Amino acid sequence: MGFARACSVALVGVDGVVVEVQADLEPGLAAFTLVGLPDKTLTESRDRVRAAVVNSGATWPQKKLTVGLSPASVPKSGAGFDLAVASAVLGAAEVIDPAAIADLVLIGELGLDGRVRPVRGILPAVLAAADAGYRNVVVPQQCAAEAMLVPDVSVLGVRSLRQLIAVLTDAEVPEEEPPDRPGRPDPMLAGLVVPGAGLGTGISRGAGRTGDGETPDFPELSDVAGQHGARRALEVAASGGHHLFLSGPPGAGKTMLAERIPWILPPLCRQDSLEVTAVHSVAGLLPPGEPLVARPPYCAPHHSATMQSLVGGGAGVPRPGAVSLAHRGVLFLDEAAEFSTKALDALRQPLESGHVVIARAAGVVRLPARFLMVLAANPCPCGRHTLLGAGCECPASVIRRYQARLSGPLLDRVDLRVEVEPVTRSDLLGHGGRGESTATVADRVREARDRTAARLADTPWRLNAEVPGHELRTRWQAAPGALAQAERDLERGLLTARGLDRVLRVAWTVADLRGRDRPDALDVAVALELRTGIARGAALAMGTRS
């Protein structure tokens, strides 16, 4: 009788659980039994592992083989357990030393020829192993860079089971053949990306800066014609993490403005990069060769998206949705009034909490969802309602129903509501000069965030949009008399209690952009104007930025 054990990791959402893979050999009729709540993909590993072991030059034990995955109460899915199962079987058969793999975490899928194929979710799996105290990890060679992002963990990347056996038996490590033709893509990378799972997600690449005379490789904010008020709102939204609603006729530049927000946001810090990378790795959206996401992501799902595709879900264990793919970045809902009301209202909880909890029969998953939401919508079905002399023929009842698709509770969570005006001939032809560049606005956003970070040091919050209203009213108070107009709007019913708190948050962001120690009446007036859309003579409070 032989026994050996190795370890692997089961992912539940973006959280991992270390699983002990135990192999037991007993005399009897040759059979292979796999227990421990495996799914269909994992059950099929019996055939993959047997063929991989034989084609790697090792002898398959002709005995009764039982492989158990412990804890048995945790559902296991995916092919990432193949490498651990094969190692445990070879340890039980004494092909390798069982003690050498007892505390080794192995993650990877096996091909029938013994090659180790990369799998999704390497980063959160290695993070879970490190949190559990494991320090030695074996992963596919293509995923080694991603696993090395976890500190204090020794990572071994292998391309085949033959190489792993050689390492564990102190034999000469064989060289694996490269792809068939020079320049041909590595077919082993195909499993890292899930076709059709993008949901309009774009991961910003590069530093976003160019030299003199070069064409920028990112959307340039100066390409937006006019829209001085909307550009100011973009700057406020990016500085404080405030949600934004852009309303205006077609062709006014709402989509252009939204696409430029990720580039005026600062690069992600190390912790945020790991969080974003973990989500995209699990979702199969991590670009090969770029193990760490350094720029804020941008997710723009089509308006036909279902509630499950927005907040997460799917058969079996729930998978990340658009709100999680936009974590620490931007979620842009173009043609927001065309989304289903059920899908839009499902966003209300993650907008407040910064995460989404999905309960299914297979388990409960908590996924991160701290994003900056940008809504864009036309004023009516034809889009000409706000244009003078444009000939809008939509009945008043149709316009009311169209605008009511964005519910009051959802809009109450949106800090900035901006009316995007039609582009004038002067603005379109550039007679008024080009607006400020992305780099210029990004520098101001970074400076404002630095002021916010200094004020919120030693607190659990990092952006003004995250600070509770109670703290803003007691711990960080505005200047005396600054809230007089906001308090009157609250008494008149123009603001809710949540709305007053959000006006305070925006006022602090405006003060940070102006370099002030605390908001005054002018900062609050700007915040009220940006929230209600009612002109209050505060348009120049931030200076002429554009």
PDB file of all heavy atoms in Angstrom, residues 239 395 456:
ATOM      1  N   SER A 239     -10.950  62.933  -9.630  1.00  0.00           N
ATOM      2  CA  SER A 239     -10.199  63.316  -8.426  1.00  0.00           C
ATOM      3  C   SER A 239     -10.779  62.696  -7.170  1.00  0.00           C
ATOM      4  O   SER A 239     -10.042  62.290  -6.267  1.00  0.00           O
ATOM      5  CB  SER A 239     -10.178  64.842  -8.292  1.00  0.00           C
ATOM      6  OG  SER A 239      -9.543  65.441  -9.409  1.00  0.00           O
ATOM      7  N   PRO A 395     -43.932  62.296 -27.582  1.00  0.00           N
ATOM      8  CA  PRO A 395     -44.958  62.774 -26.639  1.00  0.00           C
ATOM      9  C   PRO A 395     -44.387  62.910 -25.236  1.00  0.00           C
ATOM     10  O   PRO A 395     -43.424  62.223 -24.860  1.00  0.00           O
ATOM     11  CB  PRO A 395     -46.035  61.700 -26.710  1.00  0.00           C
ATOM     12  CG  PRO A 395     -45.785  60.968 -27.982  1.00  0.00           C
ATOM     13  CD  PRO A 395     -44.311  61.041 -28.220  1.00  0.00           C
ATOM     14  N   LEU A 456      -6.656  61.778   4.639  1.00  0.00           N
ATOM     15  CA  LEU A 456      -7.303  60.531   5.057  1.00  0.00           C
ATOM     16  C   LEU A 456      -6.297  59.475   5.514  1.00  0.00           C
ATOM     17  O   LEU A 456      -6.665  58.306   5.663  1.00  0.00           O
ATOM     18  CB  LEU A 456      -8.140  59.964   3.903  1.00  0.00           C
ATOM     19  CG  LEU A 456      -9.271  60.856   3.382  1.00  0.00           C
ATOM     20  CD1 LEU A 456     -10.000  60.173   2.236  1.00  0.00           C
ATOM     21  CD2 LEU A 456     -10.248  61.204   4.492  1.00  0.00           C
TER      22      LEU A 456
END
